[in-house]
């Protein structure tokens, strides 16, 4: 039915011929399989018209492998599922490898059925076979392959088991020969619609899409009379069954899957080992309404120690002060003074707002070690199976903010780098959720580089300052999130999350994932740092920065009660958030700020727009109108709250 499409999908060019496409739900080891098959030859490409990424890599024997976002159905609900379906409809894949969880074969066969109705050549890969066998699941692979009419292989992607067999079977991918027969009323309606569609592969899938009033399918069918007939048939069938038609289809497909698996799957008794018992206890405790929160506190503490202390302090100090500060920058400065006669060029490269002295130092010496350690922790939580449990625990409190537990991913990532976290809002299913999380990130989530400086300043102001600062930031986060959820148009998505088993992560898989995400960071974020620094250089040369600082002085001294020097620190905080905090720290260390002023300045710098790189990322992800609206709210709001805190502290006599 590709002739009906009004636009062409551009798939990243990674070799000749049509791609081989990986398809499957989340948490089945699809990404691990991709990295095992492609190794380092991977690129990330944004799908046209969306903010969902596709992963493209080269296979060792030639050809390209495309990893699609997780999907459970080809009649999609989320943005990820819509992208996967669009790739299958438009890319004309050479073969589809459906990656399934061997422990949940019946659910996997629902997607197999839809691929069969779409008539794409495919292989069924039963991954996580080691965990299935540990639970006593035994599958007759040859019998299943015979009934489906396609190659079926068992793999353990994280260890590489079965991957040679999978690669050898790719040329043997075939269209499944099974076609379920639905109840007579459904079959009659489908046959009526199929008879009016062009005689091309996939007519049954397109007929079901018409009957379900799938908006993308309807858009691609030019025959208005056929669309009206499909709508009438749907209404008649829903009146006949008394249920939504999608529910009827899914129920009958489940029945078909059970019948197909008869005598092919059995459960053999297994002796429960020590790890299985420990995993069972942890499963209960991590989701316990009380103990689960203790686990969250422990995980966040460990994350801060690894990212905030080791990454943001130990590694950053070594790279910034020793590598760049003592070696790289002095050596390049001497080289530039000797070989570059133009002062403007030298300043552009190595001046206060230089591409090397500021942009690359920031991107490689300050942020890189922070995001590296965070990506490592993030991969550890992901591969261990704890991340979905964290999302499940936070789902209820997030509902008050118009979000669900899935929002924990970018919000936690924001403690590492807000710019990166803004990019990861694309994992959320609706535009409303993405905008809400971007707003909260921009407003009240300090990055770990800034957190280290903040905690150093708070130590000067006393322990009471920490409680006040945390209380103000938490109150702002809750209040703004609650009100914004009722102002920002759109709908929130349902929170449906499959909890994978807790696992012991493999070091090689953690290493591969971390490297892939670092490649993403270096390609996507570092160029933004360089562009932002170039803008700063231009503004400085035009003396606009000095005018802005002078214009901010009355607001800073009269409304916030801070010394005039802090105006420059706030301006620098917009350009580079941690530099602004570091400037305030230096003023406090010189004795120019009282405890009262330290607290006010920290509240403002925390609620401030994170940095110009984050603004650029907001424009990239959400468009300039949304980015401008968020900035227009956050800037004055940060100073408004700071002024209120200043007057409240004067009234209480604190500091």
């Amino acid at each position: 039915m590709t002739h009906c499409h009004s636009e062409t999908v551009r798939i990243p060019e990674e070799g000749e011929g049509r791609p081989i496409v990986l398809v499957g739900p989340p948490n089945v080891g699809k990404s691990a399989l991709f990295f095992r098959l492609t190794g380092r030859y991977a690129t990330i490409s944004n799908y046209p018209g969306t903010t969902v990424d596709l992963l493209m890599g080269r296979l060792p024997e030639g050809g390209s492998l495309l990893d699609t976002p997780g999907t459970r159905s080809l009649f999609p609900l989320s943005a990820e599922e819509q992208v996967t379906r669009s790739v299958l409809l438009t890319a004309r894949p050479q073969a589809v490898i459906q990656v399934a969880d061997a422990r949940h074969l019946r659910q996997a066969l629902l997607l197999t059925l839809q691929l069969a109705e779409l008539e794409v050549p495919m292989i069924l890969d039963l991954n996580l076979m080691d965990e299935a066998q540990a639970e006593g699941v035994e599958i007759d692979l040859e019998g299943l392959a015979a009934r489906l009419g396609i190659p079926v292989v068992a793999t353990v992607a994280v260890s590489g088991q079965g991957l040679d067999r999978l690669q050898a079977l790719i040329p043997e991918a075939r269209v499944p020969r099974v076609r379920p027969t639905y109840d007579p009323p459904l079959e009659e309606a489908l046959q009526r619609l199929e008879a009016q569609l062009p005689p091309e592969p996939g007519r049954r899938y397109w007929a079901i899409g018409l009957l379900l009033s799938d908006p993308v399918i309807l858009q691609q069918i030019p025959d208005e009379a056929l669309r009206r007939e499909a709508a009438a048939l749907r209404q008649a069938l829903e009146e006949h069954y008394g249920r939504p038609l999608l529910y009827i289809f899914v129920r009958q497909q489940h029945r078909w899957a059970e019948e197909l698996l008869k005598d092919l799957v059995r459960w053999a008794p297994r002796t429960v080992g020590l790890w299985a018992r420990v995993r069972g206890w942890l499963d209960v405790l991590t989701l316990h309404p009380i103990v689960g929160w203790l686990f969250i506190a422990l995980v966040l503490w460990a994350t801060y120690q690894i990212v905030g202390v080791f990454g943001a302090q130990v590694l950053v100090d070594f790279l910034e002060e020793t590598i760049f500060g003592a070696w790289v920058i002095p050596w390049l400065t001497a080289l530039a003074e000797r070989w570059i006669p133009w002062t403007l060029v030298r300043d552009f490269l190595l001046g206060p707002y230089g591409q090397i002295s500021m942009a690359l130092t920031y991107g490689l010496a300050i942020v890189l070690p922070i995001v590296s350690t965070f990506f490592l922790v993030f991969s550890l939580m992901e591969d261990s199976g704890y991340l979905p449990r964290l999302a499940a625990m936070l789902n209820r409190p997030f509902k008050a903010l118009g979000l669900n537990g899935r929002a924990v991913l970018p919000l936690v990532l924001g403690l590492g780098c807000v710019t990166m976290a803004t990019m990861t809002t694309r994992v959320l299913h609706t535009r409303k959720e993405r905008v809400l999380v971007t707003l909260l990130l921009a407003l009240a989530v300090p990055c770990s580089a800034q957190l280290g400086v903040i905690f150093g300043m708070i130590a000067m102001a006393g322990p009471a300052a920490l409680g006040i600062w945390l209380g103000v930031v938490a109150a702002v986060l809750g209040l703004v999130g609650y009100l914004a959820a009722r102002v920002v148009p759109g709908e929130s998505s349902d929170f449906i999350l499959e909890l994978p088993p807790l696992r012991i992560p493999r070091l090689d898989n953690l290493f591969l994932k971390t490297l892939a995400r670092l490649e993403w960071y270096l390609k996507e974020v570092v160029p933004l740092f360089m562009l932002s620094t170039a803008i700063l250089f231009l503004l400085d040369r035009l003396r606009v920065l000095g005018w802005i600082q002078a214009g901010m002085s009355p607001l800073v001294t009269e409304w916030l009660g801070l010394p005039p020097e802090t105006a420059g620190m706030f301006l620098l905080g917009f350009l580079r958030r941690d530099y602004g905090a570091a400037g305030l720290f230096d003023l406090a260390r010189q004795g120019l700020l009282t405890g009262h002023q330290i607290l006010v300045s920290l509240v403002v710098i925390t609620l401030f727009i994170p940095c110009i790189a984050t603004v650029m990322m907001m424009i990239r992800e959400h468009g300039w109108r949304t980015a401008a609206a968020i900035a227009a709210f956050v800037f004055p709001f940060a100073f408004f709250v700071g002024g209120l805190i200043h007057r409240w502290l004067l009234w209480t006599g604190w500091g």
Side-chain angles (χ1 to χ4, degrees):
M1 298 296 165
T2 53
H3 69 284
C4 296
H5 286 267
S6 58
E7 59 180 286
T8 301
V9 176
R10 185 182 61 82
I11 301 298
E13 295 179 2
E14 282 288 330
E16 299 295 329
R18 295 175 295 164
I20 297 163
V21 178
L22 289 179
V23 173
N27 301 318
V28 296
K30 193 158 52 68
S31 296
L33 181 67
F34 176 85
F35 287 123
R36 283 282 177 180
L37 291 174
T38 61
R40 296 174 56 194
Y41 302 99
T43 57
I44 297 173
S45 174
N46 191 253
Y47 187 83
T50 74
T51 55
V52 179
D53 283 335
L54 303 172
L55 205 58
M56 176 74 83
R58 295 296 305 275
L59 291 168
E61 66 277 8
S64 55
L65 182 68
L66 183 65
D67 185 17
T68 58
T71 184
R72 293 179 174 84
S73 171
L74 297 186
F75 293 105
L77 298 174
S78 70
E80 294 97 326
E81 291 177 336
Q82 290 170 11
V83 165
T84 298
R85 195 260 297 272
S86 294
V87 167
L88 291 174
L89 292 180
T90 59
R92 298 183 300 111
Q94 171 188 339
V96 170
I97 301 175
Q98 181 194 346
V99 186
D101 187 339
R103 299 164 306 154
H104 304 298
L105 189 51
R106 189 185 71 165
Q107 292 91 323
L109 286 181
L110 300 184
L111 183 57
T112 308
L113 163 63
Q114 294 176 358
L115 290 168
E117 291 173 328
L118 191 56
E119 297 184 55
V120 295
M122 64 175 293
I123 298 169
L124 178 60
D125 172 22
L126 302 184
N127 195 36
L128 306 174
M129 184 55 75
D130 56 336
E131 295 182 8
Q133 291 171 344
E135 294 180 11
V137 179
E138 296 180 356
I139 302 171
D140 180 357
L141 298 179
E142 292 183 0
L144 181 59
R147 290 189 187 179
L148 291 173
I150 59 173
V152 177
V153 62
T155 61
V156 182
V158 293
S159 66
Q161 180 182 331
L163 296 194
D164 290 342
R165 172 70 174 158
L166 174 61
Q167 292 185 71
L169 287 174
I170 289 176
E172 300 180 25
R174 295 191 296 273
V175 175
R177 64 167 173 261
V178 293
R179 295 291 186 280
T181 301
Y182 297 100
D183 287 349
L186 282 178
E187 274 295 328
E188 181 183 345
L190 290 173
Q191 290 173 12
R192 284 179 58 182
L193 295 177
E194 283 183 77
Q196 300 177 65
L197 291 170
E200 294 184 5
R203 280 194 300 172
R204 171 54 63 104
Y205 174 81
W206 285 79
I208 293 174
L210 274 172
L211 206 53
L212 292 176
S213 300
D214 183 284
V216 173
I217 299 294
L218 291 176
Q219 184 181 1
Q220 308 305 327
I221 299 296
D223 190 339
E224 179 64 30
L226 181 57
R227 294 201 298 265
R228 286 197 302 268
E229 181 178 355
L233 288 171
R234 172 176 181 155
Q235 182 178 356
L237 287 169
E238 289 187 340
E239 290 175 359
H240 171 76
Y241 286 106
R243 292 287 187 92
L245 200 53
L246 180 59
Y247 170 83
I248 301 301
F249 269 109
V250 171
R251 188 176 67 176
Q252 295 194 21
Q253 289 165 358
H254 269 289
R255 190 173 61 201
W256 169 84
E258 289 176 352
E259 186 67 26
L260 185 136
L261 288 176
K262 190 174 293 183
D263 303 326
L264 294 180
V265 180
R266 71 184 189 92
W267 282 261
R270 289 286 189 276
T271 302
V272 179
L274 176 61
W275 166 241
R277 289 197 295 269
V278 171
R279 185 169 64 182
W281 297 334
L282 290 175
D283 242 336
V284 173
L285 294 176
T286 53
L287 294 171
H288 190 274
I290 297 175
V291 181
W293 290 103
L294 298 179
F295 266 90
I296 290 176
L298 179 64
V299 168
L300 292 179
W301 176 83
T303 300
Y304 176 73
Q305 291 299 315
I306 296 172
V307 180
V309 177
F310 179 69
Q313 297 178 32
V314 177
L315 292 182
V316 167
D317 287 348
F318 174 71
L319 287 172
E320 185 180 21
E321 296 178 10
T322 303
I323 302 297
F324 275 77
W327 298 345
V328 175
I329 300 300
W331 180 73
L332 289 176
T333 300
L335 204 64
E337 289 176 350
R338 181 176 181 181
W339 295 105
I340 301 177
W342 306 283
T343 303
L344 182 66
V345 176
R346 288 201 305 268
D347 288 347
F348 181 75
L349 295 175
L350 293 157
Y353 303 110
Q355 289 294 301
I356 297 173
S357 58
M358 184 175 184
L360 291 184
T361 301
Y362 184 46
L364 301 181
I366 296 177
V367 180
L368 180 62
I370 295 169
V371 298
S372 298
T373 50
F374 190 89
F375 285 156
L376 184 62
V377 172
F378 192 78
S379 298
L380 182 64
M381 289 195 288
E382 190 177 37
D383 282 12
S384 67
Y386 180 70
L387 199 59
R389 287 162 175 80
L390 178 63
M393 285 295 297
L394 293 175
N395 181 53
R396 181 169 295 177
F398 277 14
K399 281 185 177 179
L401 306 180
L403 302 169
N404 58 45
R406 197 174 286 105
V408 72
L409 308 181
L411 287 176
V412 171
L413 182 57
L415 297 173
C417 174
V418 176
T419 304
M420 287 295 298
T422 302
M423 187 187 300
T424 62
T425 57
R426 60 184 63 173
V427 305
L428 304 175
H429 284 178
T430 68
R431 173 172 169 77
K432 176 179 180 177
E433 292 171 337
R434 293 191 288 271
V435 171
L436 286 175
V437 171
T438 300
L439 170 62
L440 297 180
L441 284 168
L443 178 65
V445 178
C447 65
S448 57
Q450 186 191 22
L451 270 177
V453 181
I454 287 174
F455 287 144
M457 289 184 66
I458 284 177
M460 300 179 190
L466 175 61
I468 297 173
W469 176 77
L470 285 174
V472 170
V473 173
V476 166
L477 190 70
L479 179 62
V480 172
Y482 178 82
L483 295 176
R486 284 144 185 82
V487 173
V488 176
E491 296 182 356
S492 299
S493 63
D494 295 328
F495 184 60
I496 302 173
L497 188 66
E498 182 178 336
L499 294 179
L502 292 171
R503 307 180 179 106
I504 299 176
R506 291 177 58 93
L507 292 179
D508 55 348
N509 199 44
L510 292 178
F511 181 70
L512 276 173
K513 279 192 172 184
T514 303
L515 279 183
R517 285 167 172 152
L518 285 178
E519 179 187 8
W520 182 32
Y521 162 77
L522 292 172
K523 288 182 177 179
E524 297 278 353
V525 180
V526 171
L528 287 179
F529 291 152
M530 300 181 74
L531 175 61
S532 303
T533 304
I535 294 173
L536 291 180
F537 176 81
L538 179 62
L539 293 177
D540 181 58
R541 286 286 163 171
L542 296 175
R543 300 184 179 180
V544 175
L545 292 182
W547 299 341
I548 296 174
Q549 184 174 342
M552 288 178 62
S553 291
L555 174 67
V556 168
T557 56
E558 296 176 16
W559 174 248
L560 298 180
L562 299 176
E565 294 87 346
T566 56
M569 301 306 105
F570 289 132
L571 178 60
L572 194 59
F574 168 61
L575 308 177
R576 285 181 53 180
R577 196 178 197 181
D578 58 311
Y579 267 28
L584 293 173
F585 180 80
D586 189 51
L587 292 177
R589 192 167 49 185
Q590 296 175 37
L592 299 178
L593 298 178
T594 66
H596 174 130
Q597 292 173 325
I598 287 174
L599 185 54
V600 172
S601 64
L602 286 182
V603 167
V604 175
I605 200 72
T606 302
L607 300 182
F608 219 51
I609 281 284
C611 62
I612 194 170
T614 300
V615 174
M616 300 291 288
M617 186 60 71
M618 288 194 297
I619 294 173
R620 180 184 183 277
E621 292 294 308
H622 305 294
W624 69 268
R625 286 188 178 88
T626 300
I630 291 175
F633 168 75
V634 170
F635 273 120
F637 185 77
F639 285 98
F640 174 71
V641 173
L644 292 182
I645 296 300
H646 167 55
R647 279 149 182 76
W648 178 74
L649 293 176
L650 287 176
W651 179 69
T652 59
W654 191 91

